Amino acid sequence: VSGARAPTREALLQALKEVDADDDGRASASEMSNFAWEKMRTLVNTDSDLEDWDQDQDGTLNWDELDTGLGFTEDGVDGATLDREKAKFTAADTSGDGVLDASEL
């Protein structure tokens, strides 16, 4: 982005503290993925995103709808990360029906 400023050292250190769940001074791929998933969950406006992303209008999101809504495949997320995100989707699906409803989002 033209004109964008690079983050300060302090901002980067603060971001690391938020991501580094085990306080080892490093941000592992797993910690980054977990952090991103949790941030995504806080950013998802359940009602409007469910309505916007629910392509078949059944009141739930299947993996393909969530993937499209969040842009994992479109953004070129690597296979290992995509597998982890899919596993998180499966874990969030507490009813085990293969879709997420508003209470599972």
Side-chain angles (χ1 to χ4, degrees):
V1 174
S2 179
R5 291 186 187 172
T8 65
R9 176 176 169 73
E10 292 77 23
L12 292 172
L13 289 172
Q14 181 59 38
L16 175 61
K17 286 179 185 177
E18 290 182 43
V19 173
D20 184 18
D22 62 6
D23 295 319
D24 69 353
R26 299 175 185 205
S28 69
S30 175
E31 288 169 325
M32 294 287 288
S33 178
N34 288 339
F35 178 78
W37 183 258
E38 288 305 314
K39 281 295 185 184
M40 181 278 304
R41 290 183 68 161
T42 63
L43 294 174
V44 170
N45 180 332
T46 303
D47 294 331
S48 67
D49 289 337
L50 179 59
E51 185 176 313
D52 291 345
W53 299 347
D54 183 13
Q55 296 170 356
D56 59 10
Q57 300 298 302
D58 66 352
T60 64
L61 294 178
N62 61 41
W63 168 253
D64 291 333
E65 291 170 327
L66 186 65
D67 178 26
T68 299
L70 294 174
F72 291 133
T73 300
E74 182 179 309
D75 291 345
V77 172
D78 66 85
T81 300
L82 195 58
D83 289 345
R84 281 192 300 275
E85 298 308 321
K86 205 167 197 178
K88 291 175 186 176
F89 172 88
T90 301
D93 179 20
T94 56
S95 64
D97 60 1
V99 295
L100 301 180
D101 61 28
S103 69
E104 294 168 318
L105 286 172

